[in-house]
Amino acid sequence: MQEQHIILNLNGEEKMWVGDPTTPLADVIREHFQLTGTKVGCRTGECGACTIILDGAPMNSCILPVAMAENSVIQTIEGLADDRRFQWLVTAMAEEGGAQCGFCTPGIMMTLWASSQASHGGQHPDYHAILKNNLCRCTGYQSILAAAKRVLGREVNAIEQ
Amino acid sequence: MAWYQPQELTEALDMMATREPVIVCGGTDVFVNWLRRKQQFQGRDWLDIHRIQSVREIRRVEDGLLIGAAVNAAEIWQSPICNAIPSLQEAARVVGGWQIQNRASIAGNVANASPAADMMVPLFALGARVVLQSVQGERRIRIEDFVLGPKQTSILKHELITHIHIPETGLFAPQTFLRLDQRGGTDISLVSVAVVAKVDRQASHVNIVVGAASPKPFSVPMAEEMVHKDAASDVMKRVAALYAAHAAPITDVRASADYRRAMVGVLVERGLGKVLLAPQTTTG
């Protein structure tokens, strides 16, 4: 495959990458840019461990050719560290016990954070539906769902104040 | 082998005229296949159509709705224009999970021609047409003629799907999409059904289409005709039984053929009940 120069907007910074345009974005993020918070599980777009946010929408970066991410805004979990809402989510996940082995956690955090930013077509977000594409083999999901609901509650309160 | 990402449709069609590229839009199917079986794609260029504005739009046109090939499932269920076709929105909402819905394109679902494709089933029931373009011009073909069987379509070598056209008759018509799966999640449908009634609200005619229970989505005109004459509940039961009898499901890891056949009957009856007996809440 012909190599390409690809400019990526990664966590607010413009980065240049050169290589095979069909390389999965997850591999570029992890191996070239050393942002290993994004995990790679199934490589078929089912487990959600590789979830990143592209132009505001969560996506599986393991099945996204890097060439398709050019001219888009890419956010990885490292890019959210200073975000206040993200820190609420971290606290809620820790307090509810929403992580055990931790492998699925970054993907789940990305999906939940994206949902806190999304309009959901004007409907109240259903966390079961939102997390459909994120598998967790440790927690049984209940603690994750409890954390999600808590964050939403705080979000609503913050808006009302 | 190279990656092409044109901004204009004419560029894409020019490329289609001279080469046989792998067309990619969301990539949720084709890119997974590529990762698993790279040798099958040896030497082929890639044509990424997701930056072409004219195939990214949903538009109300004189004779219905025009959905661009690159419109993804999440855009369909969030689109106020698509509120006119809730059966397609319901299907778009169960294609994979949120991450997949943010990428999976409508044309990909159609071109891939999987017997279990979700969005395809309401498209059949809505009487959708596939709009194909090449440097020679445009042609529109009914979706049931476009899809030939599992992974097989009647697309010609140099053609590109540019839009899916939904005719006027399906807009704001009473309709539904129902699907049975094991996880209520990212798994593939065991059986699905779409029911669309004609706009006049007399329920004088309904399209009932079943997915995942035969090589391609199917309907039974004789059974649809029975509803036309009489929409009583015992008729619905007979219609459901006819659909179950006409199904040609397979046994695989997800379910047995017998179970699928039984569920065809259940979903058809449930879908008919939902569309014909429930108070209509579709709004203009």
Side-chain angles (χ1 to χ4, degrees), chain A residues 93 96 98 112 126-129 131 140-151:
Chain A
M93 284 283 275
E96 297 290 344
L112 288 176
D126 166 5
Y127 287 107
H128 287 266
L131 289 173
Y141 301 101
Q142 295 311 312
S143 47
I144 296 169
L145 290 168
K149 281 171 192 153
R150 254 178 70 179
V151 171

Side-chain angles (χ1 to χ4, degrees), chain B residues 253-277:
Chain B
V253 288
R254 291 187 293 274
S256 69
D258 286 344
Y259 178 71
R260 281 196 168 93
R261 186 185 297 284
M263 290 308 107
V264 167
V266 171
L267 286 201
V268 167
E269 192 181 347
R270 201 177 283 170
L272 271 173
K274 208 174 156 198
V275 167
L276 301 181
L277 302 177

Side-chain angles (χ1 to χ4, degrees), chain A residues 2 22 51 58 68 70 133, chain B residues 1 25 31 51 96 99 102:
Chain A
Q2 221 171 74
T22 60
T51 302
M68 295 188 97
E70 193 168 26
N133 225 159
Chain B
M1 244 191 349
C25 189
F31 196 63
R51 294 283 179 199
Q99 287 95 318
N102 282 325

Side-chain angles (χ1 to χ4, degrees), chain B:
Chain B
M1 244 191 349
W3 186 278
Y4 294 93
Q5 196 177 69
Q7 311 265 325
E8 297 296 329
L9 184 59
T10 49
E11 281 178 70
L13 297 180
D14 284 344
M15 192 189 166
M16 293 293 295
T18 53
R19 276 174 262 202
E20 266 187 271
V22 180
I23 302 160
V24 60
C25 189
T28 54
D29 265 305
V30 76
F31 196 63
V32 174
N33 286 337
W34 147 257
L35 290 171
R36 283 178 176 174
R37 290 178 283 271
K38 289 197 177 180
Q39 66 283 0
Q40 284 181 10
F41 293 77
Q42 208 68 50
R44 291 179 72 186
D45 294 318
W46 288 74
L47 176 61
D48 170 5
I49 64 165
H50 96 288
R51 294 283 179 199
I52 302 171
Q53 195 50 41
S54 64
V55 301
R56 287 206 56 85
E57 296 165 347
I58 304 171
R59 271 188 296 140
R60 181 76 165 92
V61 287
E62 211 170 281
D63 57 346
L65 272 189
L66 214 48
I67 305 175
V71 169
N72 66 44
E75 286 165 344
I76 288 170
W77 65 255
Q78 287 170 16
S79 157
I81 302 176
C82 287
N83 288 347
I85 41 172
S87 58
L88 184 66
Q89 286 185 315
E90 286 157 24
R93 254 202 134 124
V94 293
V95 174
W98 193 16
Q99 287 95 318
I100 295 294
Q101 289 162 18
N102 282 325
R103 287 218 73 82
S105 68
I106 187 159
N109 204 242
V110 171
N112 200 37
S114 159
D118 287 309
M119 289 193 278
M120 195 106 90
V121 182
L123 289 179
F124 268 64
L126 289 162
R129 278 159 175 74
V130 181
V131 183
L132 297 151
Q133 282 194 46
S134 70
V135 285
Q136 265 107 43
E138 182 188 297
R139 73 181 175 119
R140 291 183 179 209
I141 177 167
R142 295 191 318 165
I143 192 163
E144 58 264 49
D145 298 326
F146 180 78
V147 179
L148 302 175
K151 309 274 171 193
Q152 285 184 311
T153 67
S154 59
I155 196 164
L156 301 175
K157 202 172 159 191
H158 303 305
E159 284 180 325
L160 184 72
I161 301 177
T162 58
H163 296 88
I164 303 294
H165 175 253
I166 315 284
E168 189 77 34
T169 48
L171 309 190
F172 301 108
Q175 56 193 279
T176 193
F177 170 79
L178 300 172
R179 158 183 152 136
L180 188 72
D181 56 44
Q182 284 174 312
R183 291 188 60 236
T186 52
D187 53 339
I188 295 164
S189 331
L190 300 176
V191 175
S192 60
V193 63
V195 181
V196 177
K198 223 174 178 177
V199 199
D200 59 21
R201 305 211 165 180
Q202 298 297 308
S204 62
H205 193 266
V206 287
N207 291 341
I208 309 162
V209 177
V210 169
S214 52
K216 68 180 212 181
F218 75 97
S219 53
V220 185
M222 178 181 61
E224 290 172 332
E225 192 64 21
M226 285 165 63
V227 184
H228 171 93
K229 291 187 182 122
D230 181 6
S233 60
D234 63 318
V235 177
M236 289 188 202
K237 275 198 197 315
R238 294 215 305 277
V239 168
L242 267 172
Y243 267 83
H246 278 80
I250 56 162
T251 294
D252 64 10
V253 288
R254 291 187 293 274
S256 69
D258 286 344
Y259 178 71
R260 281 196 168 93
R261 186 185 297 284
M263 290 308 107
V264 167
V266 171
L267 286 201
V268 167
E269 192 181 347
R270 201 177 283 170
L272 271 173
K274 208 174 156 198
V275 167
L276 301 181
L277 302 177
Q280 300 306 333
T281 52
T282 14
T283 51

Side-chain angles (χ1 to χ4, degrees), chain A residues 38-117:
Chain A
T38 302
K39 306 299 180 195
V40 174
C42 65
R43 285 198 181 272
T44 56
E46 288 176 38
C47 78
C50 68
T51 302
I52 50 100
I53 298 172
L54 197 85
D55 295 330
M59 289 179 195
N60 299 305
S61 62
C62 74
I63 56 164
L64 186 65
V66 61
M68 295 188 97
E70 193 168 26
N71 301 315
S72 289
V73 174
I74 306 162
Q75 287 169 294
T76 71
I77 195 158
E78 290 86 351
L80 299 183
D82 296 331
D83 183 274
R84 197 164 53 107
R85 257 169 303 214
F86 183 73
Q87 288 306 328
W88 292 346
L89 192 59
V90 171
T91 307
M93 284 283 275
E95 289 177 4
E96 297 290 344
Q100 283 183 35
C101 85
F103 192 84
C104 71
T105 314
I108 284 174
M109 305 277 274
M110 293 306 278
T111 306
L112 288 176
W113 188 81
S115 91
S116 77
Q117 309 285 302

